[in-house]
Amino acid sequence: MQLTKKGLWAGIIHEYREFLPEIGTDAITTLHEGNTPLIETSNLRDIFGAIRLLLKYEGLNPTGSFKDRGMTLAVSKAREEGVKAVICASTGNTSASAAAYAAKAGMKAYVLVPEGAIALGKLSQAIMHGALVLQIKGGFDDALNIVKEITKNYPVKMVNSINPFRIEGQKTAAFEVCEHLGHAPTYHFLPVGNAGNITAYWRGYNEYRKKGAISNLPKMMGFQAEGAAPIVAGHPIEHPETIATAIKIGNPASWTNATSARDASGGVIEAVSDADIIEAYKLLASREGVFCEPASAASLAGAIKMKKDGVLNDGDTVVCTLTGHGLKDPNTAINSCPKPTKVAADLKKILKAMGL
Ligand SMILES: *Cc1c(COP(=O)(O)O)cnc(C)c1O
């Protein structure tokens, strides 16, 4: 039998090299991130009618979130510069990704996370990949400020999304959406935390249009959690609160880039409640078979809100990015659902419990 090679995916740097900053091949550090599925929804017609709704499932990246797209580039560039250690502040996923890519590159990773506010799966990743994890008594914004101070004075490279290579890598998700659809969507919905990803997608769409690959641009629709919605409020939030820990951020680093993307695209940045987020989170898992983490579901919660408000129309193509995998945060999943039924190891009792 002859084996045929089916265009195996080499990771976003190799696949999109002409769109990315130059980098020497020897420095490339990849876990084959990217090439995530764009999943057509099947069971949400009662809500969306004749709107075409698709899910860009970024939870299927190597460490389970979109952060890997930026991290491959940030860590590869750091490696090219001869850097020996990377550092980040994180609500969880950046630390998981930084730790994994640093391990692959043979570098040390330091991560600062808010104590008690990071999901279990993310913490386990950072620890397993050998990062030095420092849990600080403070929020993400405090952690980021300290990281900025450290990198001013010590030879460690910051890999938060203010590292310009992060955004560059993350824009490749927009390229993939266009390739899958054959055009850009009408609307693109995203959760907004530090606002790097909405910035990155907007850049990606614009670069593809400039290249002539697409002719339209989507409206960028960003959604913050109600208790952590500085962009919506128009001022930083000192004590952000939300169940969606990945977007529990009071002073986004890419604030002005996000509002520019919103305004230039004719989109919105609005807020959704934690209850709306959890409802969307459960809908995706129970009706679509897609398990994302709570923050990710802010995109769908936003789309549901915009549909109710009459913003979306039949025939529109709507993409929701699901930023991270549901297994990142098993506690929220378990606490959002009824407890499994306990039943004796007895056929009759089991059949009764099954309603048969
Ligand atoms: C980082 C992250 C976000 C927020 O992305 P920003 O670029 O900071 O706006 C949303 N969801 C998940 C799962 C994340 O890890």
Side-chain angles (χ1 to χ4, degrees):
M1 185 188 118
Q2 186 81 34
L3 287 175
T4 48
K5 191 168 170 228
K6 294 199 193 69
L8 299 174
W9 183 261
I12 62 119
I13 298 180
H14 290 291
E15 300 289 340
Y16 293 114
R17 217 157 169 179
E18 59 172 310
F19 292 95
L20 296 173
E22 250 179 73
I23 181 155
T25 300
D26 292 348
I28 295 176
T29 304
T30 180
L31 295 169
H32 299 250
E33 59 296 311
N35 197 27
T36 58
L38 186 65
I39 304 170
E40 196 94 45
T41 56
S42 310
N43 302 310
L44 297 174
R45 281 201 182 278
D46 56 329
I47 303 171
F48 287 97
I51 291 162
R52 186 180 180 200
L53 179 73
L54 304 107
L55 310 169
K56 179 66 171 159
Y57 191 23
E58 290 286 279
L60 292 189
N61 275 297
T63 77
S65 85
F66 74 86
K67 300 297 199 296
D68 295 341
R69 293 179 185 273
M71 203 56 72
T72 182
L73 200 62
V75 168
S76 297
K77 273 290 181 183
R79 188 171 168 191
E80 189 168 55
E81 288 172 29
V83 168
K84 297 283 184 283
V86 296
I87 187 169
C88 64
S90 178
T91 58
N93 281 331
T94 301
S95 68
S97 187
Y101 283 82
K104 178 79 172 167
M107 286 178 193
K108 179 80 199 163
Y110 301 98
V111 310
L112 270 65
V113 298
E115 188 183 1
I118 125 166
L120 198 62
K122 306 175 188 183
L123 189 59
S124 72
Q125 289 177 290
I127 293 169
M128 273 300 284
H129 291 305
L132 178 69
V133 179
L134 300 170
Q135 305 203 61
I136 66 157
K137 288 198 191 313
F140 170 83
D141 304 281
D142 303 311
L144 185 59
N145 286 334
I146 295 167
V147 165
K148 283 183 191 163
E149 275 304 308
I150 294 172
T151 52
K152 261 190 235 161
N153 300 309
Y154 296 90
V156 287
K157 189 61 129 189
M158 137 117 67
V159 292
N160 279 102
S161 60
I162 31 186
N163 177 320
F165 300 119
R166 281 277 311 279
I167 307 277
E168 279 293 301
Q170 285 172 208
K171 76 186 178 190
T172 58
F175 299 163
E176 292 175 15
V177 169
C178 297
E179 284 155 25
H180 284 145
L181 288 173
H183 52 85
T186 328
Y187 292 93
H188 195 123
F189 285 78
L190 289 154
V192 172
N194 227 4
N197 215 25
I198 192 168
T199 302
Y201 271 91
W202 182 236
R203 187 182 297 173
Y205 283 123
N206 276 281
E207 287 185 13
Y208 252 27
R209 188 172 72 159
K210 209 161 165 201
K211 189 89 176 167
I214 53 170
S215 53
N216 64 310
L217 289 170
K219 292 183 167 55
M220 301 305 295
M221 313 292 275
F223 284 82
Q224 302 196 291
E226 231 166 53
I231 298 177
V232 180
H235 56 80
I237 304 293
E238 199 168 343
H239 298 292
E241 268 314 324
T242 169
I243 195 165
T245 50
I247 53 173
K248 191 175 166 186
I249 291 176
N251 191 11
S254 296
W255 188 316
T256 52
N257 287 326
T259 50
S260 302
R262 173 195 66 194
D263 298 341
S265 72
V268 303
I269 295 180
E270 290 193 13
V272 282
S273 69
D274 277 9
D276 293 341
I277 289 173
I278 294 298
E279 192 186 321
Y281 169 67
K282 292 170 74 171
L283 263 181
L284 285 168
S286 62
R287 289 218 212 154
E288 294 298 328
V290 176
F291 190 17
C292 66
E293 65 173 283
S296 307
S299 60
L300 180 67
I304 293 172
K305 183 178 181 189
M306 290 295 103
K307 167 63 186 165
K308 281 187 186 149
D309 288 355
V311 175
L312 310 181
N313 293 308
D314 286 357
D316 285 344
T317 301
V318 173
V319 171
C320 289
T321 292
L322 303 180
T323 43
H325 201 291
L327 289 172
K328 293 271 193 177
D329 188 356
N331 293 328
T332 302
I334 288 168
N335 294 336
S336 314
C337 297
K339 293 248 174 317
T341 311
K342 284 190 183 162
V343 53
D346 175 278
L347 179 62
K348 272 198 187 132
K349 287 187 175 139
I350 289 172
L351 287 172
K352 184 162 179 254
M354 291 168 75
L356 296 178

